[in-house]
Amino acid sequence: MGDKGFVGTRGRVVAAGAAALLLAGCGGGGGDGKAAALDKGQVASVLPDAKAVPGWRNHMKPEAQKPVPDYPPTVCVARTKEQRDTACTPVTSWGVSAFVRKADATTLNFWTLAYKDEKAADAAYDVLIKWYGGDRVGRNAEKVEIGSPGAEREANRAAVGTMAGPATIAQIRVGTTVLGISTGTTGKVAVPDKEVKAFAAMFAERAQQAQNGEKPSAALPAS
């Protein structure tokens, strides 16, 4: 994934280089479907592309890779070696895509971590939410209601993130995958709850479609 990295995310995601609209052909679930392990190509297909998020300019095209031994994915962040062994070492493939909206300098990042089975993904989710959850996005963060995508989910927003404006971080588990979404801005206007909810539903549906053996097609409607 080179040196491009994410834009406008919190803490080590930035340091490492690295968020209800009606959806077009897309539901909001993902917790009751199949839980098949995904290969690198499928992980890349889960990541939203420009067609999936109209109105946003692609900053980093969807790309996936297999982890390099001793170097966990940059988006897999944990506090202790034991936690890294639970959340990061078992990752089979991972990938990212990123977007910007020029009008208000808002950024939008997606990342996917794939595991061999649902049990491993569940354990990883529990570790990763300790990093990405709560006030990790910024001081005095508040919960964002994103409905019920996937089997587990959490989203938080802070008035001031690393880009000096409002920021959000959401994490979702869909079967054998753990998904992340983040937004940030240099302005004063936060990405609305309904948009974060739409991103989450669309992303979770793409992950479920891949685990069902389908080509992910869920997308936001054109504005």
Side-chain angles (χ1 to χ4, degrees):
M1 289 174 200
D3 298 320
K4 289 182 180 179
F6 281 171
V7 285
T9 52
R10 174 74 175 171
R12 281 188 58 186
V13 180
V14 174
L21 297 176
L22 295 177
L23 302 182
C26 167
D32 298 324
K34 298 177 182 178
L38 302 183
D39 61 25
K40 186 177 74 170
Q42 289 173 309
V43 169
S45 74
V46 167
L47 295 162
D49 56 14
K51 292 181 180 179
V53 283
W56 294 81
R57 180 172 62 84
N58 199 206
H59 170 75
M60 180 189 297
K61 294 182 180 179
E63 184 180 352
Q65 63 181 333
K66 290 184 175 295
V68 176
D70 300 323
Y71 293 95
T74 56
V75 293
C76 190
V77 187
R79 292 185 175 91
T80 67
K81 182 181 183 303
E82 182 180 6
Q83 289 177 335
R84 288 192 294 274
D85 287 344
T86 297
C88 305
T89 301
V91 171
T92 56
S93 295
W94 66 285
V96 301
S97 64
F99 303 83
V100 295
R101 191 160 56 192
K102 209 167 187 179
D104 54 6
T106 299
T107 66
L108 171 63
N109 304 305
F110 296 93
W111 60 95
T112 300
L113 295 164
Y115 298 86
K116 65 178 182 178
D117 54 35
E118 192 168 7
K119 182 178 179 180
D122 186 16
Y125 178 95
D126 292 342
V127 168
L128 294 171
I129 201 61
K130 294 176 182 177
W131 182 266
Y132 287 116
D135 64 357
R136 180 57 59 177
V137 67
R139 294 182 63 183
N140 302 316
E142 297 182 352
K143 298 288 186 184
V144 176
E145 175 52 54
I146 59 171
S148 55
E152 302 174 86
R153 80 293 301 171
E154 182 176 324
N156 297 277
R157 174 185 293 114
V160 180
T162 56
M163 293 180 69
T168 63
I169 293 180
Q171 180 173 290
I172 308 158
R173 183 178 68 80
V174 180
T176 61
T177 61
V178 176
L179 314 176
I181 306 168
S182 71
T183 71
T185 183
T186 58
K188 297 181 179 180
V189 180
V191 173
D193 287 11
K194 65 180 181 181
E195 286 194 49
V196 178
K197 184 176 183 179
F199 296 147
M202 176 269 294
F203 199 14
E205 183 68 10
R206 291 177 70 89
Q208 189 59 66
Q209 288 173 327
Q211 290 178 59
N212 290 345
E214 305 166 11
K215 181 179 179 180
S217 60
L220 298 178
S223 56

Short mmCIF file of all heavy atoms in Angstrom, two decimals, residues 8-82:
data_model
loop_
_atom_site.label_atom_id
_atom_site.label_comp_id
_atom_site.label_asym_id
_atom_site.label_seq_id
_atom_site.Cartn_x
_atom_site.Cartn_y
_atom_site.Cartn_z
N GLY A 8 -6.69 11.86 7.85
CA GLY A 8 -7.59 12.35 8.88
C GLY A 8 -8.07 11.37 9.90
O GLY A 8 -9.16 11.51 10.43
N THR A 9 -7.31 10.34 10.24
CA THR A 9 -7.73 9.40 11.25
C THR A 9 -6.98 9.65 12.54
O THR A 9 -6.10 10.47 12.62
CB THR A 9 -7.50 7.95 10.79
OG1 THR A 9 -6.17 7.83 10.35
CG2 THR A 9 -8.45 7.61 9.67
N ARG A 10 -7.34 8.91 13.58
CA ARG A 10 -6.86 9.17 14.92
C ARG A 10 -5.60 8.39 15.26
O ARG A 10 -5.41 7.27 14.83
CB ARG A 10 -7.98 8.80 15.92
CG ARG A 10 -7.61 8.89 17.38
CD ARG A 10 -7.52 10.32 17.86
NE ARG A 10 -7.28 10.36 19.29
CZ ARG A 10 -6.98 11.47 19.93
NH1 ARG A 10 -6.93 12.61 19.30
NH2 ARG A 10 -6.77 11.45 21.24
N GLY A 11 -4.75 8.96 16.07
CA GLY A 11 -3.66 8.26 16.74
C GLY A 11 -2.74 7.54 15.79
O GLY A 11 -2.28 8.09 14.80
N ARG A 12 -2.47 6.27 16.07
CA ARG A 12 -1.48 5.52 15.30
C ARG A 12 -1.94 5.24 13.89
O ARG A 12 -1.15 4.89 13.04
CB ARG A 12 -1.14 4.22 16.02
CG ARG A 12 -0.18 4.42 17.16
CD ARG A 12 0.27 3.09 17.72
NE ARG A 12 0.90 2.25 16.71
CZ ARG A 12 1.26 0.99 16.95
NH1 ARG A 12 1.07 0.46 18.14
NH2 ARG A 12 1.83 0.26 16.00
N VAL A 13 -3.28 5.33 13.62
CA VAL A 13 -3.72 5.11 12.25
C VAL A 13 -3.15 6.22 11.38
O VAL A 13 -2.70 6.01 10.27
CB VAL A 13 -5.26 5.13 12.16
CG1 VAL A 13 -5.70 4.91 10.73
CG2 VAL A 13 -5.84 4.05 13.06
N VAL A 14 -3.14 7.44 11.90
CA VAL A 14 -2.53 8.54 11.17
C VAL A 14 -1.04 8.33 11.10
O VAL A 14 -0.43 8.45 10.05
CB VAL A 14 -2.84 9.88 11.89
CG1 VAL A 14 -2.08 11.01 11.21
CG2 VAL A 14 -4.33 10.17 11.85
N ALA A 15 -0.43 8.02 12.23
CA ALA A 15 1.02 7.85 12.27
C ALA A 15 1.46 6.71 11.37
O ALA A 15 2.52 6.76 10.77
CB ALA A 15 1.48 7.60 13.71
N ALA A 16 0.64 5.68 11.26
CA ALA A 16 1.01 4.53 10.43
C ALA A 16 0.66 4.78 8.97
O ALA A 16 0.97 3.98 8.11
CB ALA A 16 0.28 3.28 10.92
N GLY A 17 0.09 5.86 8.66
CA GLY A 17 -0.27 6.13 7.28
C GLY A 17 -1.77 6.14 7.11
O GLY A 17 -2.24 6.54 6.06
N ALA A 18 -2.35 5.46 8.34
CA ALA A 18 -3.73 5.50 8.52
C ALA A 18 -3.65 6.03 10.02
O ALA A 18 -3.33 6.77 10.24
CB ALA A 18 -4.68 4.43 8.79
N ALA A 19 -17.05 6.11 8.96
CA ALA A 19 -16.43 6.42 9.37
C ALA A 19 -17.52 6.45 9.54
O ALA A 19 -17.30 6.66 9.66
CB ALA A 19 -15.41 5.88 9.38
N ALA A 20 -30.54 7.92 8.36
CA ALA A 20 -30.50 6.81 7.45
C ALA A 20 -30.90 7.23 6.06
O ALA A 20 -32.01 7.62 5.80
CB ALA A 20 -31.45 5.73 7.88
N LEU A 21 -29.50 7.06 5.17
CA LEU A 21 -29.80 7.23 3.76
C LEU A 21 -30.32 5.90 3.23
O LEU A 21 -29.93 4.84 3.68
CB LEU A 21 -28.53 7.63 3.01
CG LEU A 21 -27.91 8.97 3.40
CD1 LEU A 21 -26.62 9.17 2.62
CD2 LEU A 21 -28.86 10.11 3.13
N LEU A 22 -31.19 5.94 2.26
CA LEU A 22 -31.61 4.70 1.63
C LEU A 22 -30.48 4.21 0.76
O LEU A 22 -29.86 4.97 0.03
CB LEU A 22 -32.87 4.93 0.78
CG LEU A 22 -34.11 5.33 1.56
CD1 LEU A 22 -35.26 5.59 0.59
CD2 LEU A 22 -34.50 4.24 2.54
N LEU A 23 -30.21 2.92 0.85
CA LEU A 23 -29.10 2.35 0.09
C LEU A 23 -29.62 1.71 -1.19
O LEU A 23 -30.70 1.15 -1.23
CB LEU A 23 -28.37 1.32 0.94
CG LEU A 23 -27.82 1.86 2.27
CD1 LEU A 23 -27.07 0.76 2.98
CD2 LEU A 23 -26.92 3.05 2.05
N ALA A 24 -28.81 1.77 -2.21
CA ALA A 24 -29.18 1.19 -3.50
C ALA A 24 -28.87 -0.30 -3.48
O ALA A 24 -27.72 -0.70 -3.54
CB ALA A 24 -28.41 1.87 -4.63
N GLY A 25 -29.91 -1.11 -3.40
CA GLY A 25 -29.73 -2.56 -3.42
C GLY A 25 -28.94 -3.05 -2.24
O GLY A 25 -28.16 -3.99 -2.36
N CYS A 26 -29.14 -2.45 -1.06
CA CYS A 26 -28.27 -2.76 0.07
C CYS A 26 -29.06 -2.77 1.35
O CYS A 26 -29.80 -1.83 1.63
CB CYS A 26 -27.16 -1.72 0.15
SG CYS A 26 -26.24 -1.72 1.68
N GLY A 27 -28.90 -3.82 2.16
CA GLY A 27 -29.54 -3.88 3.45
C GLY A 27 -28.62 -3.39 4.53
O GLY A 27 -27.50 -2.98 4.26
N GLY A 28 -29.07 -3.44 5.79
CA GLY A 28 -28.24 -2.94 6.87
C GLY A 28 -27.71 -4.02 7.76
O GLY A 28 -27.19 -3.74 8.83
N GLY A 29 -27.85 -5.28 7.36
CA GLY A 29 -27.49 -6.36 8.26
C GLY A 29 -26.12 -6.91 7.99
O GLY A 29 -25.21 -6.22 7.65
N GLY A 30 -25.98 -8.23 8.14
CA GLY A 30 -24.70 -8.87 7.94
C GLY A 30 -24.39 -9.81 9.08
O GLY A 30 -23.40 -10.51 9.05
N GLY A 31 -25.23 -9.83 10.12
CA GLY A 31 -24.94 -10.66 11.28
C GLY A 31 -25.51 -12.06 11.18
O GLY A 31 -25.12 -12.94 11.94
N ASP A 32 -26.45 -12.28 10.26
CA ASP A 32 -27.13 -13.56 10.21
C ASP A 32 -26.76 -14.38 8.97
O ASP A 32 -27.30 -15.44 8.73
CB ASP A 32 -28.65 -13.36 10.23
CG ASP A 32 -29.11 -12.68 11.52
OD1 ASP A 32 -28.51 -12.97 12.57
OD2 ASP A 32 -30.04 -11.87 11.46
N GLY A 33 -25.85 -13.89 8.15
CA GLY A 33 -25.48 -14.60 6.93
C GLY A 33 -24.36 -15.58 7.16
O GLY A 33 -24.00 -15.92 8.28
N LYS A 34 -23.80 -16.06 6.05
CA LYS A 34 -22.70 -17.00 6.14
C LYS A 34 -21.44 -16.30 6.66
O LYS A 34 -21.32 -15.09 6.58
CB LYS A 34 -22.44 -17.59 4.75
CG LYS A 34 -23.61 -18.39 4.19
CD LYS A 34 -23.31 -18.89 2.80
CE LYS A 34 -24.49 -19.63 2.21
NZ LYS A 34 -24.23 -20.09 0.81
N ALA A 35 -20.51 -17.09 7.18
CA ALA A 35 -19.27 -16.52 7.73
C ALA A 35 -18.08 -17.24 7.12
O ALA A 35 -17.33 -17.92 7.81
CB ALA A 35 -19.26 -16.65 9.25
N ALA A 36 -17.91 -17.09 5.81
CA ALA A 36 -16.81 -17.73 5.11
C ALA A 36 -15.54 -16.89 5.21
O ALA A 36 -15.59 -15.66 5.29
CB ALA A 36 -17.17 -17.93 3.64
N ALA A 37 -14.40 -17.55 5.23
CA ALA A 37 -13.12 -16.84 5.24
C ALA A 37 -12.90 -16.22 3.86
O ALA A 37 -13.25 -16.81 2.84
CB ALA A 37 -11.99 -17.80 5.57
N LEU A 38 -12.32 -15.02 3.83
CA LEU A 38 -12.09 -14.31 2.58
C LEU A 38 -10.61 -14.34 2.20
O LEU A 38 -9.75 -14.20 3.06
CB LEU A 38 -12.55 -12.86 2.69
CG LEU A 38 -14.01 -12.62 3.06
CD1 LEU A 38 -14.30 -11.12 3.06
CD2 LEU A 38 -14.95 -13.35 2.11
N ASP A 39 -10.33 -14.46 0.89
CA ASP A 39 -8.95 -14.38 0.43
C ASP A 39 -8.61 -12.92 0.11
O ASP A 39 -9.46 -12.01 0.24
CB ASP A 39 -8.71 -15.29 -0.77
CG ASP A 39 -9.57 -14.94 -1.98
OD1 ASP A 39 -9.99 -13.76 -2.12
OD2 ASP A 39 -9.81 -15.84 -2.82
N LYS A 40 -7.39 -12.67 -0.31
CA LYS A 40 -6.93 -11.30 -0.55
C LYS A 40 -7.78 -10.58 -1.59
O LYS A 40 -8.13 -9.41 -1.42
CB LYS A 40 -5.46 -11.32 -0.98
CG LYS A 40 -4.85 -9.93 -1.11
CD LYS A 40 -3.37 -9.99 -1.48
CE LYS A 40 -3.18 -10.38 -2.92
NZ LYS A 40 -1.76 -10.23 -3.36
N GLY A 41 -8.12 -11.27 -2.66
CA GLY A 41 -8.93 -10.66 -3.69
C GLY A 41 -10.31 -10.29 -3.20
O GLY A 41 -10.85 -9.23 -3.56
N GLN A 42 -10.88 -11.14 -2.39
CA GLN A 42 -12.21 -10.84 -1.85
C GLN A 42 -12.16 -9.67 -0.87
O GLN A 42 -13.08 -8.85 -0.83
CB GLN A 42 -12.77 -12.08 -1.16
CG GLN A 42 -13.17 -13.19 -2.12
CD GLN A 42 -13.56 -14.46 -1.39
OE1 GLN A 42 -12.83 -14.96 -0.53
NE2 GLN A 42 -14.71 -14.99 -1.72
N VAL A 43 -11.09 -9.59 -0.09
CA VAL A 43 -10.94 -8.46 0.83
C VAL A 43 -10.88 -7.16 0.04
O VAL A 43 -11.53 -6.16 0.39
CB VAL A 43 -9.67 -8.62 1.70
CG1 VAL A 43 -9.36 -7.33 2.45
CG2 VAL A 43 -9.87 -9.76 2.69
N ALA A 44 -10.14 -7.15 -1.06
CA ALA A 44 -10.07 -5.95 -1.90
C ALA A 44 -11.44 -5.59 -2.45
O ALA A 44 -11.80 -4.42 -2.54
CB ALA A 44 -9.07 -6.17 -3.03
N SER A 45 -12.23 -6.61 -2.80
CA SER A 45 -13.55 -6.35 -3.38
C SER A 45 -14.53 -5.80 -2.35
O SER A 45 -15.48 -5.10 -2.71
CB SER A 45 -14.11 -7.64 -4.00
OG SER A 45 -14.56 -8.56 -3.01
N VAL A 46 -14.32 -6.12 -1.09
CA VAL A 46 -15.20 -5.61 -0.03
C VAL A 46 -15.01 -4.11 0.16
O VAL A 46 -15.97 -3.37 0.42
CB VAL A 46 -14.90 -6.34 1.30
CG1 VAL A 46 -15.57 -5.63 2.49
CG2 VAL A 46 -15.39 -7.78 1.23
N LEU A 47 -13.79 -3.62 0.01
CA LEU A 47 -13.51 -2.21 0.22
C LEU A 47 -14.26 -1.35 -0.79
O LEU A 47 -14.22 -1.61 -1.99
CB LEU A 47 -12.00 -1.96 0.10
CG LEU A 47 -11.15 -2.63 1.17
CD1 LEU A 47 -9.70 -2.71 0.72
CD2 LEU A 47 -11.28 -1.87 2.49
N PRO A 48 -14.96 -0.33 -0.32
CA PRO A 48 -15.71 0.53 -1.25
C PRO A 48 -14.80 1.22 -2.25
O PRO A 48 -13.69 1.66 -1.91
CB PRO A 48 -16.38 1.55 -0.31
CG PRO A 48 -16.49 0.83 1.00
CD PRO A 48 -15.23 0.01 1.09
N ASP A 49 -15.28 1.31 -3.49
CA ASP A 49 -14.56 2.05 -4.52
C ASP A 49 -15.35 3.33 -4.82
O ASP A 49 -16.32 3.65 -4.14
CB ASP A 49 -14.38 1.20 -5.78
CG ASP A 49 -15.69 0.67 -6.33
OD1 ASP A 49 -16.78 1.15 -5.91
OD2 ASP A 49 -15.65 -0.24 -7.18
N ALA A 50 -14.92 4.07 -5.83
CA ALA A 50 -15.56 5.35 -6.13
C ALA A 50 -17.03 5.19 -6.47
O ALA A 50 -17.85 6.06 -6.17
CB ALA A 50 -14.81 6.03 -7.27
N LYS A 51 -17.40 4.07 -7.12
CA LYS A 51 -18.80 3.85 -7.46
C LYS A 51 -19.67 3.64 -6.23
O LYS A 51 -20.85 3.93 -6.26
CB LYS A 51 -18.91 2.65 -8.40
CG LYS A 51 -18.31 2.87 -9.78
CD LYS A 51 -18.48 1.63 -10.65
CE LYS A 51 -17.87 1.84 -12.03
NZ LYS A 51 -18.02 0.62 -12.88
N ALA A 52 -19.07 3.11 -5.17
CA ALA A 52 -19.84 2.80 -3.96
C ALA A 52 -20.11 4.02 -3.10
O ALA A 52 -21.05 4.02 -2.30
CB ALA A 52 -19.10 1.74 -3.13
N VAL A 53 -19.28 5.06 -3.25
CA VAL A 53 -19.47 6.28 -2.45
C VAL A 53 -19.47 7.51 -3.37
O VAL A 53 -18.52 8.29 -3.37
CB VAL A 53 -18.41 6.41 -1.34
CG1 VAL A 53 -18.71 5.49 -0.19
CG2 VAL A 53 -17.00 6.12 -1.87
N PRO A 54 -20.52 7.67 -4.17
CA PRO A 54 -20.57 8.80 -5.09
C PRO A 54 -20.50 10.13 -4.33
O PRO A 54 -21.01 10.25 -3.22
CB PRO A 54 -21.94 8.63 -5.77
CG PRO A 54 -22.73 7.76 -4.85
CD PRO A 54 -21.74 6.84 -4.22
N GLY A 55 -19.84 11.09 -4.94
CA GLY A 55 -19.68 12.39 -4.31
C GLY A 55 -18.37 12.54 -3.58
O GLY A 55 -18.02 13.63 -3.13
N TRP A 56 -17.61 11.44 -3.49
CA TRP A 56 -16.30 11.46 -2.84
C TRP A 56 -15.22 11.17 -3.87
O TRP A 56 -15.41 10.33 -4.75
CB TRP A 56 -16.23 10.41 -1.73
CG TRP A 56 -17.14 10.70 -0.57
CD1 TRP A 56 -18.48 10.43 -0.51
CD2 TRP A 56 -16.80 11.31 0.66
NE1 TRP A 56 -18.98 10.82 0.70
CE2 TRP A 56 -17.97 11.37 1.44
CE3 TRP A 56 -15.60 11.81 1.19
CZ2 TRP A 56 -18.00 11.92 2.73
CZ3 TRP A 56 -15.61 12.34 2.47
CH2 TRP A 56 -16.80 12.40 3.22
N ARG A 57 -14.09 11.84 -3.75
CA ARG A 57 -12.97 11.60 -4.66
C ARG A 57 -12.04 10.55 -4.07
O ARG A 57 -11.64 10.64 -2.92
CB ARG A 57 -12.19 12.90 -4.91
CG ARG A 57 -11.00 12.73 -5.86
CD ARG A 57 -10.38 14.08 -6.21
NE ARG A 57 -9.85 14.77 -5.04
CZ ARG A 57 -8.65 14.56 -4.51
NH1 ARG A 57 -7.84 13.63 -5.03
NH2 ARG A 57 -8.24 15.25 -3.47
N ASN A 58 -11.69 9.56 -4.87
CA ASN A 58 -10.85 8.46 -4.39
C ASN A 58 -9.42 8.95 -4.12
O ASN A 58 -8.76 9.48 -5.01
CB ASN A 58 -10.84 7.34 -5.42
CG ASN A 58 -10.40 6.01 -4.86
OD1 ASN A 58 -9.89 5.17 -5.58
ND2 ASN A 58 -10.60 5.77 -3.57
N HIS A 59 -8.97 8.81 -2.89
CA HIS A 59 -7.61 9.18 -2.50
C HIS A 59 -6.69 7.95 -2.53
O HIS A 59 -5.53 8.04 -2.90
CB HIS A 59 -7.62 9.79 -1.10
CG HIS A 59 -6.26 9.99 -0.50
ND1 HIS A 59 -5.40 10.99 -0.89
CD2 HIS A 59 -5.60 9.29 0.48
CE1 HIS A 59 -4.29 10.91 -0.18
NE2 HIS A 59 -4.38 9.89 0.64
N MET A 60 -7.25 6.82 -2.13
CA MET A 60 -6.51 5.54 -2.18
C MET A 60 -7.45 4.47 -2.69
O MET A 60 -8.46 4.18 -2.04
CB MET A 60 -5.98 5.17 -0.79
CG MET A 60 -5.20 3.86 -0.78
SD MET A 60 -4.80 3.30 0.89
CE MET A 60 -3.76 4.65 1.41
N LYS A 61 -7.16 3.91 -3.84
CA LYS A 61 -8.01 2.88 -4.41
C LYS A 61 -7.99 1.63 -3.53
O LYS A 61 -7.01 1.36 -2.84
CB LYS A 61 -7.54 2.54 -5.82
CG LYS A 61 -7.73 3.68 -6.81
CD LYS A 61 -7.28 3.27 -8.21
CE LYS A 61 -7.48 4.42 -9.19
NZ LYS A 61 -7.04 4.05 -10.57
N PRO A 62 -9.09 0.85 -3.55
CA PRO A 62 -9.13 -0.38 -2.76
C PRO A 62 -7.94 -1.28 -3.06
O PRO A 62 -7.65 -1.56 -4.23
CB PRO A 62 -10.44 -1.04 -3.21
CG PRO A 62 -11.29 0.11 -3.65
CD PRO A 62 -10.34 1.08 -4.29
N GLU A 63 -7.25 -1.68 -2.03
CA GLU A 63 -6.08 -2.53 -2.19
C GLU A 63 -5.95 -3.43 -0.98
O GLU A 63 -6.16 -2.99 0.15
CB GLU A 63 -4.82 -1.67 -2.35
CG GLU A 63 -3.55 -2.47 -2.62
CD GLU A 63 -2.33 -1.58 -2.77
OE1 GLU A 63 -2.49 -0.36 -2.81
OE2 GLU A 63 -1.21 -2.13 -2.82
N ALA A 64 -5.62 -4.67 -1.20
CA ALA A 64 -5.47 -5.64 -0.10
C ALA A 64 -4.13 -6.35 -0.21
O ALA A 64 -3.54 -6.43 -1.29
CB ALA A 64 -6.61 -6.65 -0.12
N GLN A 65 -3.67 -6.86 0.91
CA GLN A 65 -2.43 -7.62 0.91
C GLN A 65 -2.44 -8.61 2.07
O GLN A 65 -3.25 -8.50 2.99
CB GLN A 65 -1.24 -6.69 1.04
CG GLN A 65 -1.17 -5.90 2.34
CD GLN A 65 0.04 -4.98 2.38
OE1 GLN A 65 1.04 -5.24 1.74
NE2 GLN A 65 -0.06 -3.92 3.15
N LYS A 66 -1.53 -9.55 2.01
CA LYS A 66 -1.35 -10.48 3.11
C LYS A 66 -0.35 -9.87 4.10
O LYS A 66 0.58 -9.17 3.68
CB LYS A 66 -0.84 -11.83 2.60
CG LYS A 66 -1.88 -12.62 1.82
CD LYS A 66 -1.34 -13.97 1.43
CE LYS A 66 -2.42 -14.80 0.75
NZ LYS A 66 -3.53 -15.12 1.67
N PRO A 67 -0.53 -10.12 5.38
CA PRO A 67 0.39 -9.54 6.37
C PRO A 67 1.81 -10.06 6.18
O PRO A 67 2.03 -11.19 5.76
CB PRO A 67 -0.18 -10.02 7.71
CG PRO A 67 -1.58 -10.43 7.43
CD PRO A 67 -1.60 -10.90 6.02
N VAL A 68 2.76 -9.21 6.48
CA VAL A 68 4.16 -9.59 6.47
C VAL A 68 4.51 -10.07 7.88
O VAL A 68 4.18 -9.38 8.86
CB VAL A 68 5.07 -8.41 6.08
CG1 VAL A 68 6.54 -8.79 6.16
CG2 VAL A 68 4.70 -7.91 4.70
N PRO A 69 5.15 -11.24 8.04
CA PRO A 69 5.49 -11.73 9.38
C PRO A 69 6.24 -10.68 10.19
O PRO A 69 7.12 -9.99 9.68
CB PRO A 69 6.38 -12.94 9.08
CG PRO A 69 5.90 -13.42 7.74
CD PRO A 69 5.55 -12.17 6.98
N ASP A 70 5.85 -10.56 11.44
CA ASP A 70 6.46 -9.62 12.39
C ASP A 70 6.05 -8.17 12.17
O ASP A 70 6.45 -7.29 12.94
CB ASP A 70 8.00 -9.71 12.37
CG ASP A 70 8.51 -11.09 12.71
OD1 ASP A 70 7.90 -11.73 13.59
OD2 ASP A 70 9.50 -11.53 12.10
N TYR A 71 5.26 -7.90 11.12
CA TYR A 71 4.79 -6.53 10.89
C TYR A 71 3.27 -6.56 10.70
O TYR A 71 2.78 -6.79 9.60
CB TYR A 71 5.47 -5.92 9.66
CG TYR A 71 6.94 -5.70 9.86
CD1 TYR A 71 7.86 -6.65 9.42
CD2 TYR A 71 7.41 -4.56 10.49
CE1 TYR A 71 9.23 -6.46 9.61
CE2 TYR A 71 8.77 -4.35 10.68
CZ TYR A 71 9.67 -5.30 10.23
OH TYR A 71 11.02 -5.11 10.43
N PRO A 72 2.53 -6.34 11.76
CA PRO A 72 1.07 -6.41 11.66
C PRO A 72 0.51 -5.31 10.76
O PRO A 72 1.19 -4.30 10.51
CB PRO A 72 0.61 -6.23 13.11
CG PRO A 72 1.70 -5.46 13.76
CD PRO A 72 2.96 -5.96 13.11
N PRO A 73 -0.69 -5.47 10.26
CA PRO A 73 -1.31 -4.42 9.45
C PRO A 73 -1.32 -3.09 10.20
O PRO A 73 -1.53 -3.06 11.41
CB PRO A 73 -2.74 -4.95 9.25
CG PRO A 73 -2.61 -6.43 9.38
CD PRO A 73 -1.56 -6.65 10.42
N THR A 74 -1.10 -2.00 9.50
CA THR A 74 -1.04 -0.70 10.16
C THR A 74 -2.35 -0.31 10.82
O THR A 74 -2.36 0.50 11.75
CB THR A 74 -0.66 0.40 9.14
OG1 THR A 74 -1.58 0.38 8.05
CG2 THR A 74 0.76 0.19 8.64
N VAL A 75 -3.46 -0.88 10.35
CA VAL A 75 -4.75 -0.55 10.95
C VAL A 75 -5.10 -1.48 12.11
O VAL A 75 -6.16 -1.34 12.72
CB VAL A 75 -5.88 -0.59 9.90
CG1 VAL A 75 -5.69 0.53 8.88
CG2 VAL A 75 -5.95 -1.94 9.20
N CYS A 76 -4.24 -2.43 12.41
CA CYS A 76 -4.46 -3.32 13.54
C CYS A 76 -3.61 -2.82 14.70
O CYS A 76 -2.39 -3.04 14.73
CB CYS A 76 -4.08 -4.76 13.18
SG CYS A 76 -4.60 -5.95 14.44
N VAL A 77 -4.25 -2.15 15.63
CA VAL A 77 -3.54 -1.49 16.72
C VAL A 77 -4.01 -2.04 18.06
O VAL A 77 -5.21 -2.09 18.34
CB VAL A 77 -3.76 0.03 16.69
CG1 VAL A 77 -2.89 0.72 17.73
CG2 VAL A 77 -3.47 0.60 15.31
N ALA A 78 -3.08 -2.48 18.88
CA ALA A 78 -3.40 -3.01 20.21
C ALA A 78 -2.33 -2.56 21.20
O ALA A 78 -1.20 -2.24 20.81
CB ALA A 78 -3.49 -4.53 20.17
N ARG A 79 -2.67 -2.55 22.47
CA ARG A 79 -1.78 -2.00 23.48
C ARG A 79 -0.68 -2.94 23.93
O ARG A 79 0.40 -2.50 24.30
CB ARG A 79 -2.61 -1.58 24.71
CG ARG A 79 -3.53 -0.40 24.46
CD ARG A 79 -4.21 0.03 25.76
NE ARG A 79 -5.00 1.23 25.58
CZ ARG A 79 -6.27 1.23 25.24
NH1 ARG A 79 -6.90 0.09 25.04
NH2 ARG A 79 -6.93 2.37 25.10
N THR A 80 -0.94 -4.25 23.93
CA THR A 80 0.03 -5.20 24.47
C THR A 80 0.34 -6.28 23.44
O THR A 80 -0.39 -6.47 22.46
CB THR A 80 -0.53 -5.87 25.73
OG1 THR A 80 -1.64 -6.71 25.36
CG2 THR A 80 -0.98 -4.84 26.76
N LYS A 81 1.44 -7.00 23.68
CA LYS A 81 1.81 -8.10 22.79
C LYS A 81 0.72 -9.16 22.78
O LYS A 81 0.39 -9.72 21.73
CB LYS A 81 3.13 -8.71 23.22
CG LYS A 81 3.60 -9.85 22.31
CD LYS A 81 4.91 -10.45 22.78
CE LYS A 81 5.39 -11.54 21.81
NZ LYS A 81 4.38 -12.62 21.62
N GLU A 82 0.16 -9.44 23.94
CA GLU A 82 -0.90 -10.45 24.03
C GLU A 82 -2.10 -10.03 23.18
O GLU A 82 -2.68 -10.85 22.46
CB GLU A 82 -1.34 -10.63 25.48
CG GLU A 82 -2.42 -11.69 25.65
CD GLU A 82 -2.83 -11.87 27.10
OE1 GLU A 82 -2.37 -11.09 27.97
OE2 GLU A 82 -3.62 -12.79 27.39
#
